[in-house]
Amino acid sequence: AQSVTQLDSHVSVSEGTPVLLRCNYSSSYSPSLFWYVQHPNKGLQLLLKYTSAATLVKGINGFEAEFKKSETSFHLTKPSAHMSDAAEYFCVVSDQEYGNKLVFGAGTILRVKS
Amino acid sequence: DGGITQSPKYLFRKEGQNVTLSCEQNLNHDAMYWYRQDPGQGLRLIYYSQIVNDFQKGDIAEGYSVSREKKESFPLTVTSAQKNPTAFYLCASSISSGGTWALTGELFFGEGSRLTVL
């Protein structure tokens, strides 16, 4: 079955240090993968997406993610955290086998300390 | 500015009452969606609509109903049959949900409605 696992429910970093949010997926076909961000009591906003082009994907606000098929991973990174990055992040997978349905991970809450 | 408007932002309901959440979009998108968000569970799809006067059940449709009489509007009714309705509800839209959309497309979300049952 199609699924996505976010390995950490909470991540805490200091401002100016790197961010790593981990995501593993399972998919029988070539998946599309997305990261969305949600600030408190707000809707979700697309950060970046992978759709079988370049495996290193750059998104908004300095975030990027690398698709690693051998590891079935799509981890989100940022070189230097900013206070405004504090939010919840969702990894999302979709593939043709399941009618192009989007499956959301449980989310990772990122805390940024000053 | 184009976007999705959800109302009300906060809503309280007594047990046994039906409530309707509004969702309006001016993005000219064909497809609209309702998701439910509970802490630590991600988003779960309630209903979606690809075109006016048509809609499909998602993963957790029981206790909910929708209508799609206009392209820009997709209201969600939480009925008394929904046993655990307290949650954050998110409406979204996309250009189209057919074909290969989900492989390349983007969902645009409203700011959500928080429903609390007293």
Side-chain angles (χ1 to χ4, degrees), chain A residues 32 36 38 43 49 51 100-101, chain B residues 37 59 99 102-104 107 110:
Chain A
S32 288
Y36 279 83
Q38 183 183 33
K49 62 183 180 184
T51 56
N100 300 325
K101 175 182 169 183
Chain B
Q37 184 176 18
D59 299 319
L103 298 178
T104 59
L107 290 179

Side-chain angles (χ1 to χ4, degrees), chain A residues 103-114:
Chain A
V103 176
F104 285 77
T108 297
I109 294 173
L110 175 65
R111 178 186 172 210
V112 181
K113 298 175 290 185
S114 59

Side-chain angles (χ1 to χ4, degrees), chain B residues 46-66:
Chain B
I46 305 172
Y47 269 98
Y48 65 99
S49 168
Q50 299 182 50
I51 195 169
V52 174
N53 292 322
D54 184 60
F55 48 83
Q56 307 294 328
K57 291 182 179 180
D59 299 319
I60 56 166
E62 185 176 353
Y64 300 97
S65 66
V66 294

